[in-house]
Structure formats: C-alpha cells, structure tokens
Amino acid sequence: MRVCLRWLLVALATIAFAAPASAADEPGVAVLEHGEAARSGWDAEVPPAAGWVPVTLLDLWHERWPGHDGVVWYRLRWHQDDPRRPTALLADYMSMSGAIYVNGEAVARDPSLVEPLSRTWHAPHYALLPASLLRAGENTVWLRVSGLSAYQPGAGLVRVGDPQALQQRYRSERFQRYDIKLINLAMSAVLGGVFLLMWLLRRKDSVYGWFALTELAGALYGYNHIATTVWPLPGTDAWQAFNAAFYVVAGACYALFLLRYCGRRHPRLERVLAVLSALALLSATLAPAWMGHHRNLWFAAGGLCYYVAIGWFMAQAWRSRRPDALVLAACLLLPVLVSFRDFALFFGWIEGTTYWLSLTSVLTLIGIGFVLSYRFVTAMRRVEGFNLELKREVEAATTELATTLSRQHALELAHSRAGERLQLVRDLHDGFGGTLVATIAQLEAAPAGTPRAQVVATLKELRDDLRLVIDSTAREHADLPAQLAPLRHRLGRLLETADIDSRWRLEGLEGPSWTARAAWTCCGCCRKR
C-alpha cells in the first residue's frame, strides 16, 4: 500500500511539474509552434508544391479539412547558429502515425504510414540530429502525418535544442502517456485474472465476477493506449469500433459490480446494460466503419454508465456509512473529477495530448482492492466465527451424547441383569420347579421301604436338572439344535422313569431360533402334561 501511494504521489507531481509549457522554462530549446500545413494523398513521398496554409500547433486537421483521410504535411522552421552544437528534436504528437524529416533527410519514421496505420499517437518521437544534417542559419522540419478525419488526426509541438533537456522531457512525456498506461494495463489484467479465479471458486459471490469482467474489459480498452499496430484487426475503423465497444462493456460491468457490492438487483436495468453491451460488440463486428465514425456516441453511453453508477454508489455509501463503502467512494472522487477533463479532451472541447485518468486510476484500484479485500476478510472472519461456534456446539453435543450413552449403557446393564434374574426365576419355576414337584409327588407315592439308592438317584436327577437350567441360561442366544439338546435329555429321562419309550426325529432345524426362555417354557409345559 505504501509503495502504491508513493507511486501515486510521483505521478501527480509529474502532472503538475514535469511538463514546461514554453521555451523560457527550458534554456537552449526552441519551441516550434507556428508553421504551415498542406494535405496530400496516401502515397505522397514529398511535400506538395501548393496548398499551404498557416497553422498553430497543436493542430487537428479534421476541423480545417473535414472528411480528409490521408496525409497532411507540416512545415516548420528554426534558426541554428552553430550546426556543430549537439541538437535533438522532440515531436510531441503525431496522430495516427508519421515521419519526421530535417532538411529533406528522414530522422524518424513509423512502420506503417498507410492503412493499416501504425499507432504512435500515444508517445512522443525523439531523435538526436547528426551535425551533417544541420545548417548554419535556417533549418526546416517536415512532419508527414497520416490519419483519418474521424479520429482527430493532427500534429503537436516540435522542440529543437539541447539533447539533455529534450531527453528528460521525452522520458517525462513517455511516462505520462505510455508507461503509466502500461502499468495500469498490467494491474487490470492481473486483478481481473485473480478475481475471476475467486469467482470461479465461489460462484455465488457474483461481485467478484463482475469486478473481474470490469477489469478485463477495461484492460482490452486500455490496450488502445499502448498498442503500436491494429493487429489482429484489419484497419483503424475496426480498431476504434472495438475500442469503443470494450469501453461500453467495461462501463456496464462496472455498474453491475457496484450494484452487487451494495447487495442490490435491478433486473430491468441489468437487462438494459446487457443489451447495450451486446449491441456494442455486435455493431463493432458487423459495422466497424459506421461504429468507428460514431464512436463518440458509444463513448458517451459508456461514460454515462460510469457516472450514473458511481453517483448512485456514492449516495448509497453516504446513507449506509459503511467503512468499506466510504473508502471506495473517497477513492472514486478524484478519478471522477479528472475524468471530466479527459472527456473534454476526447470530445475536442479542450486541447491537449495527454489523458490524466490513468494517473489517478491507481487510486481507484487501491480503493477497489481494499474494499474487496475487506469484504473477503469479513467473510473469512464470519466463516471462522461460524467454525468456532460450530466446534463449541459439536463439543457440547459430544459431551451430552457421551453422557447420554453412558446413562443408557448403565440402564441397559441394569435392565440386562434384571432380565437375567427374571429369566433365572422363570427357568427355576417352569423347569426345575416342575421337576421338583414331580419328584416330591413320586417320593410321596413311594412305599415306606424305598431303597436309599433310589432316593439318592432321584436327588441326583434334581441336581442334574438344576445344572441344566444354569447351562441353558448361559446359552440363552444359542441356536435351536443347541436348545433342543438339553430339552431332549430331560424329557428322555422323565419318560424313561415313567417307563415310556421315546423316539426323537428332528427336521428343518436350520431356520428357527428359540431363546432359552422359550425352550424352558416349552419344557415346563410338556412336564405339566
């Protein structure tokens, strides 16, 4: 943040102090602002012999020769006392492209002087003049400027003199008109790519997506300020058409970004912006010449999107008093004020060659980067708070569940013990009790002289029944064959004692499963019978 603010201060200082306006500010430099101009065709290699008119630079020829597409020659003169003195030349502005001649010899030339034209309007031209070209006395500078009438063609001031002073001015001018825009383009592309990835990973947060589209569309528009050719487009008309289209798309996306940032949705307005963007791109594709020649209307539409959206956002920020919204509104204030000057320059209401908005756009990027980062950090804090609260609730629920499970386990253990005791009581009553009753009845009916061995055998049978009850209780969950084995043993003994012959035939025992309680209940029922 500190580096960005320092860079902004340097840029603003460059605006205020780096560009002297007259020769008096630069000793040893002659400013050539008065000369003559004459128009010619695209293929003219030498200046015309007639048709010269006096001009004052900066000169935009579409006002003097409306509809002229082609070449205009500018002739400027200066007086050189000593041709051996080191001398440099700085041409401030040639739109769209041009060549520079000194005393009939070329000293600078853009790659393409016919359609598709080179685009060197955004940077000055500097040349160190060899002593062999200069003359003692009057010297002549020729500017051959190629351009199209619809796009403000013309030429700016020319300075001749001290190479060190002119090179310093050249660097300052290039910084303002080219280097800063290159930096802004890189920042827009990087921010657009980063927030596009954030939106792809979090699709429901559309504010990141609209900001990413704003920056990417703005980068495509901003490329106009550093491009030196119209590739991959066929000509200047198509370039200007798509440049205007991207500006409209960027303005529409910026409006939607501010709407989403404030949590608002206006379906009708959003449909209008979508139709406007689609119409701009479609017109640039199908009718580039028409759209290029009417680019002012499209730039006015795009600018209207920006101004209305920013004005609405500032009002919302003032009402809500949210810190992030107020910071963004403050960061937008200076760029908006500067943009009025740039729009006046673009529409030709004032003269100039440098657009200042790029010098303040870093402030806008700082503001937008801050508020989006603030939004992201706030969301992350909410997520962290939610996670912490969820962790506490999970821990409380886990503790409660552990207590409940412990209580339930204790209850189940007590219930199991009670069930076991109840089952043992039932087994003793239904199984062993029945055997005991039968044995008592048998002993009562026995004669008085019953042998002792017979009584002991009867008691042993009771002992075996008691062991059988205990063993069956321990094997409560055994399968049916295991449950029937002791039942068969007891019944066989009882029937044998009663002199009853028994035979057992068991089939289909794989499916059913009885508990020991059911088996002993069955056993007790059988014994009672």
Side-chain angles (χ1 to χ4, degrees), residues 320-340:
S320 66
R321 301 300 174 91
R322 285 169 42 192
D324 56 324
L326 291 175
V327 169
L328 179 57
C331 291
L332 292 177
L333 185 59
L334 179 59
V336 167
L337 296 177
V338 173
S339 69
F340 292 146

Side-chain angles (χ1 to χ4, degrees), residues 445-502:
T450 303
R452 181 180 178 183
Q454 183 177 354
V455 176
V456 172
T458 302
L459 293 176
K460 288 181 178 180
E461 289 179 0
L462 290 175
R463 180 197 63 189
D464 293 339
D465 279 351
L466 181 58
R467 289 176 177 176
L468 191 60
V469 168
I470 296 173
D471 183 63
S472 298
T473 302
R475 297 187 300 164
E476 179 181 1
H477 298 288
D479 56 3
L480 183 56
Q483 298 285 359
L484 288 176
L487 179 62
R488 178 183 176 185
H489 174 72
R490 173 181 288 110
L491 292 179
R493 294 285 298 276
L494 291 174
L495 293 175
E496 182 179 354
T497 304
D499 294 329
I500 298 175
D501 185 19
S502 64

